[in-house]
Amino acid sequence: MESVSNNLQQTLEAVFNHLHTHPEISWEEHDTTAYIKKLFEPYDCHITTFDDSPGLVIEIGHGKPVIGLRADIDALWQEVNGKFQANHSCGHDAHMTIVIGTLLTLLENGYPDQGTFRFIFQPAEEKGTGALAFVEKGIVDDVDFLYGMHLRPVEELGHEQFAPAIRHGAARFLKGTIRGDDAHGARPHLNANAIEIGAEFVQHLNNIHINPMVPHSAKMTAFQADGGSTNIIPGSATFSLDLRAQTNDAMRQLTEKIELIANMLADYHHVSIDLETGANIAAAVTNDEAIQVMTDAITTSAGENKLKNAITTTGGDDFHFYTIKRPHLKATMLAIGCDLTPGLHHPDMTFKREIIPQAVQVLATALTKTGKTYAQ
């Protein structure tokens, strides 16, 4: 695979700058979708958009194998310099740019005569619902290999280092509601104090024990019971729980124990406690063949000294729903080292942008290798 041309490198810089300065949150990525669509309208490729959803799919080539490359396109909503706004602090602006660059590279340098290359620009990764929605649209039903990517913090990979797989853990976000009666501050015997129930819930979370060899955590990340009056004992409250586990089975065990805690406290205090899943992200399911292709692509494009072992992280990504819902998929995610600091989701996250063309080369090589190796 030839190196990225100067013209393409300038294009990628312009694309990244636009995407970085025009972030859109989950399920609102309409301008982002229109921008990417406009970029490729002059080219000989098939573009699919959706009436009921942002995001798009761009396809070139024909026949088997069908090789997918996915970019997540949404931004986070967070406080930046005292103002709440959409913000690409998870690197999705870079992911989009890399996938755009990979497609432009194949269009510029050529690709195998046999094989379909499908570029998936997926919304709502941060909500954990975008991949599931695209699965339901049938976008990966005929895909044989599926690749993704993610920038990695400096603690995991150094600059210009790459790993052929990211073994994400599972993540689940629960919203809880305690419903009871308020009481006068002078009559605490007439109700169950929702704040005290919340404190008990936290204590029981800390007493959960599952296999300590499997990384996991369960913590309360929000609690609201303030009605504005200091002489009222609140009977109702809302709260949020953040669950993490390295395996899907460990996540199942955590969830079952938390449901038992909620039921026990509700029975004891004569209140109702309802739990609702806000987002649910599965742990990684990777494939040895896909990992080997990515390993070869890293050594070919970046050099053997830039290849590192697969990354294991408790962070999550909804990319893995594709393989869980469609088990025939052979999938892996490229881990990209770029001196990313201070960390993913930090409002001031930065990384070395010169990694973008290098990542383009690795993925373009992976796609062409897959097409040539598995052509039917």
Side-chain angles (χ1 to χ4, degrees):
M1 178 63 63
E2 300 175 13
S3 61
V4 170
S5 67
N6 289 333
N7 286 341
L8 179 54
Q9 194 156 328
Q10 292 175 4
T11 298
L12 296 180
E13 290 175 3
V15 167
F16 177 84
N17 288 334
H18 175 89
L19 295 170
H20 182 71
T21 55
H22 293 80
E24 295 178 297
I25 61 174
S26 300
W27 296 120
E28 296 184 14
E29 309 97 324
H30 299 289
D31 289 344
T32 301
T33 300
Y35 173 77
I36 298 171
K37 180 175 183 286
K38 186 176 181 180
L39 279 177
F40 289 98
E41 285 177 338
Y43 293 92
D44 182 19
C45 53
H46 184 264
I47 302 174
T48 302
T49 56
F50 310 97
D51 294 335
D52 61 346
S53 167
L56 70 160
V57 176
I58 303 176
E59 193 169 289
I60 59 176
H62 60 90
K64 300 286 280 182
V66 179
I67 306 158
L69 178 60
R70 174 268 210 170
D72 30 21
I73 69 174
D74 56 331
L76 288 158
W77 183 259
Q78 62 185 161
E79 187 176 0
V80 182
N81 297 323
K83 178 184 177 182
F84 278 93
Q85 63 184 65
N87 187 37
H88 274 304
S89 58
C90 200
H92 295 183
D93 45 0
H95 299 170
M96 287 185 278
T97 306
I98 290 166
V99 173
I100 288 168
T102 303
L103 175 50
L104 289 172
T105 297
L106 296 190
L107 290 168
E108 183 179 282
N109 294 343
Y111 48 91
D113 292 335
Q114 285 186 303
T116 301
F117 298 87
R118 186 171 298 162
F119 298 82
I120 302 166
F121 295 90
Q122 176 215 297
E125 187 278 329
E126 297 294 354
K127 293 288 188 183
T129 52
L132 288 170
F134 269 27
V135 167
E136 292 304 312
K137 291 180 184 298
I139 289 170
V140 296
D141 284 357
D142 61 342
V143 170
D144 299 293
F145 284 82
L146 180 64
Y147 299 112
M149 82 227 69
H150 210 298
L151 306 184
R152 303 315 304 164
V154 66
E155 294 86 358
E156 294 183 358
L157 280 180
H159 183 50
E160 298 183 332
Q161 295 178 342
F162 299 92
I166 306 173
R167 298 191 175 101
H168 284 106
R172 184 168 294 171
F173 312 124
L174 302 179
K175 296 179 182 291
T177 303
I178 302 169
R179 292 186 177 89
D181 297 321
D182 291 346
H184 193 285
R187 299 173 179 84
H189 61 292
L190 295 181
N191 82 332
N193 188 333
I195 296 173
E196 294 176 353
I197 295 172
E200 290 181 51
F201 210 123
V202 171
Q203 291 177 330
H204 286 290
L205 289 177
N206 293 333
N207 291 331
I208 291 176
H209 297 292
I210 63 174
N211 186 350
M213 300 302 292
V214 181
H216 62 276
S217 68
K219 57 273 183 189
M220 189 173 289
T221 55
F223 190 88
Q224 179 64 45
D226 179 19
S229 299
T230 57
N231 64 343
I232 292 178
I233 301 171
S236 299
T238 60
F239 59 92
S240 298
L241 301 176
D242 179 295
L243 314 184
R244 307 278 171 164
Q246 200 58 51
T247 67
N248 292 314
D249 185 60
M251 178 58 73
R252 177 190 58 78
Q253 295 179 56
L254 272 182
T255 303
E256 289 176 352
K257 289 179 179 292
I258 287 169
E259 289 171 346
L260 289 172
I261 292 170
N263 292 335
M264 179 269 293
L265 290 174
D267 289 342
Y268 182 79
H269 291 287
H270 303 291
V271 298
S272 67
I273 302 178
D274 298 319
L275 297 176
E276 177 186 353
T277 301
N280 180 30
I281 300 172
V285 179
T286 56
N287 175 267
D288 290 342
E289 286 182 75
I291 292 174
Q292 186 59 56
V293 170
M294 193 64 73
T295 299
D296 294 343
I298 294 169
T299 57
T300 300
S301 301
E304 191 169 349
N305 62 321
K306 300 297 177 67
L307 172 66
K308 299 299 176 180
N309 293 330
I311 299 296
T312 299
T313 174
T314 54
D317 197 296
D318 80 343
F319 176 86
H320 306 297
F321 277 126
Y322 289 110
T323 46
I324 287 174
K325 295 297 184 179
R326 299 294 182 267
H328 71 277
L329 283 172
K330 299 174 181 178
T332 193
M333 297 185 76
L334 174 69
I336 302 169
C338 52
D339 277 356
L340 188 152
T341 58
L344 293 167
H345 290 203
H346 191 284
D348 299 321
M349 185 275 279
T350 61
F351 69 97
K352 291 184 177 178
R353 299 181 183 181
E354 56 264 34
I355 198 63
I356 289 175
Q358 297 181 52
V360 166
Q361 285 308 115
V362 172
L363 286 167
T365 302
L367 265 62
T368 54
K369 279 181 176 289
T370 307
K372 291 176 180 177
T373 303
Y374 296 93
Q376 299 177 11

